[in-house]
Amino acid sequence: MYAAVRVTGLAVLALWSSLAGNDAHRLLSRRWDSLWYARVAEQGYGWEVVLPDGAVHSNLAFFPLLPWLERLGSWLTPLAAPDVGLVVSAVASLAAAWGVFAVAERLYGGAAGVTAVALWAVLPVGIVQSMAYSESLFTALAAWALYALLRERWVAAGLLASLAGLTRPVGMAVTAAVLVGVALTARRERRLTPAMAAGALLSPLGAGAYVVWAGLRAGDPLLGYLRVQEGWGNGFDGGLAFARFIGSLLAGPGFWGGLGLTAVLALLAWLCVRCVRQRQPVVLLVYAGTVVALAVCASGYFGSKPRLLLPAFPLLLPLAVALARWSAARRGLLLAGAGLLSAGYAGLWLNGSGPP
């Protein structure tokens, strides 16, 4: 089912791009962030661009796991780094879909598991799951780390959290889930086992090691990475800049766009409340809440927020459980229609502004 949704999206993108005079393969593998990942894979770290306003865009902002895999794939095969990135994304997206199913099925049953995967696949920005980006790789690691936590496999959860931390800055959401899971279990059982301690210690190692290393390369082991992100205009201001952006849209010609963003934020808030009322395990609430907070409350690149929310799949579980009560035919028609709309949006989006 997941593969069918992705193939449909790619087919629509190929047709749309052909009619628009663009190359779908290039849009998926050689534009936007995919170029930065490929450059790290091919040339290593240390490359930067100075913009006319003096801002410095350094490739130290991009975490290393995807470029490492691209470099390894280029060494083992005749594929170029961007094409290896597409292969990694394709395989990782299947692993992510399996992980989403595993989590949902363990908590709410098989029908809810399949529906959760379908909902994740047909998200409007779901095409990013098929791009040479790191969202699919991160979601796969995060989903299986959460599944390991649900089964109290602490060492596996810690290792997967560490790898997630080498993939994207939002890896701290997985680390937070592991630490909270260990703390709550240790409190309940009134003991801290060696496996719990190992999982807790392993979970922050990936992100911590890279942040310190990147900081050293930038000249400050403690604050260097934050300065790299500042060069990209990224920061955490509690959502103030995003609120001002929406306010400027509502007060100007972009009123309907601002109204749409307001509606999306209201939907996010409603889903968060539904997750709490659904009594999801605390580790899922911590993970999804951290992903949402980091995406919504960051100050940079407002257009990238939808794809930054892609890994927050626990938000889909209340909808998945509700839809799982429908008949298979009715549920299938709804999800098929959503899949076609998602495919159409992908064609429009990637042949337009695309994901910054």
Side-chain angles (χ1 to χ4, degrees):
M1 182 277 300
Y2 178 79
V5 173
R6 291 270 53 83
V7 169
T8 300
L10 293 172
V12 171
L13 175 65
L15 177 59
W16 196 303
S17 301
S18 178
L19 294 174
N22 291 324
D23 181 359
H25 178 260
R26 183 179 67 86
L27 295 177
L28 292 168
S29 63
R30 289 172 171 83
R31 284 192 72 185
W32 306 293
D33 287 6
S34 59
L35 290 174
W36 287 87
Y37 284 119
R39 188 173 283 114
V40 172
E42 295 166 348
Q43 303 174 12
Y45 284 102
W47 194 84
E48 60 186 31
V49 174
V50 180
L51 303 184
D53 63 359
V56 177
H57 285 189
S58 168
N59 64 2
L60 287 170
F62 294 86
F63 277 48
L65 186 57
L66 178 58
W68 285 347
L69 294 175
E70 290 181 342
R71 178 178 294 182
L72 177 63
S74 296
W75 181 67
L76 293 174
T77 72
L79 295 176
D83 298 320
V84 175
L86 287 181
V87 175
V88 170
S89 186
V91 174
S93 70
L94 292 172
W98 187 10
V100 170
F101 171 81
V103 170
E105 188 271 341
R106 181 172 180 83
L107 294 174
Y108 306 112
V114 173
T115 306
V117 173
L119 288 170
W120 189 66
V122 303
L123 289 171
V125 294
I127 190 64
V128 174
Q129 299 162 11
S130 298
M131 297 177 66
Y133 272 45
S134 60
E135 273 76 8
S136 290
L137 180 60
F138 175 79
T139 305
L141 294 167
W144 285 107
L146 292 172
Y147 180 74
L149 286 176
L150 294 177
R151 299 194 62 186
E152 298 188 354
R153 303 290 178 84
W154 306 112
V155 175
L159 286 171
L160 290 166
S162 187
L163 290 173
L166 284 170
T167 308
R168 298 186 62 81
V170 74
M172 68 177 67
V174 191
T175 296
V178 173
L179 295 177
V180 169
V182 168
L184 291 177
T185 304
R187 180 181 178 183
R188 184 182 69 244
E189 298 183 357
R190 296 184 179 181
R191 65 191 181 104
L192 180 68
T193 67
M196 292 180 194
L201 292 173
L202 286 169
S203 63
L205 288 185
Y210 179 72
V211 167
V212 171
W213 179 85
L216 287 171
R217 289 290 299 266
D220 185 342
L222 295 178
L223 301 177
Y225 181 76
L226 294 179
R227 292 174 182 167
V228 169
Q229 288 289 358
E230 287 176 3
W232 282 83
N234 293 327
F236 189 87
D237 64 357
L240 182 60
F242 192 33
R244 288 173 177 169
F245 173 70
I246 295 175
S248 67
L249 291 178
L250 291 171
F255 173 80
W256 293 109
L259 192 63
L261 284 175
T262 303
V264 170
L265 288 176
L267 175 62
L268 273 177
W270 179 79
L271 288 174
C272 289
V273 171
R274 293 303 305 169
C275 288
V276 174
R277 290 184 175 179
Q278 194 181 31
R279 297 185 179 180
Q280 288 185 14
V282 174
V283 292
L284 265 66
L285 296 176
V286 168
Y287 166 75
T290 305
V291 173
V292 171
L294 291 175
V296 174
C297 298
S299 59
Y301 291 111
F302 305 124
S304 63
K305 292 186 184 298
R307 71 175 177 87
L308 297 180
L309 289 167
L310 266 178
F313 70 89
L315 296 181
L316 301 173
L317 297 184
L319 295 177
V321 171
L323 290 176
R325 301 189 185 104
W326 292 16
S327 68
R330 187 183 176 197
R331 186 168 68 246
L333 285 174
L334 174 67
L335 294 172
L340 291 175
L341 289 174
S342 175
Y345 180 75
L348 176 65
W349 191 39
L350 293 197
N351 283 281
S353 62

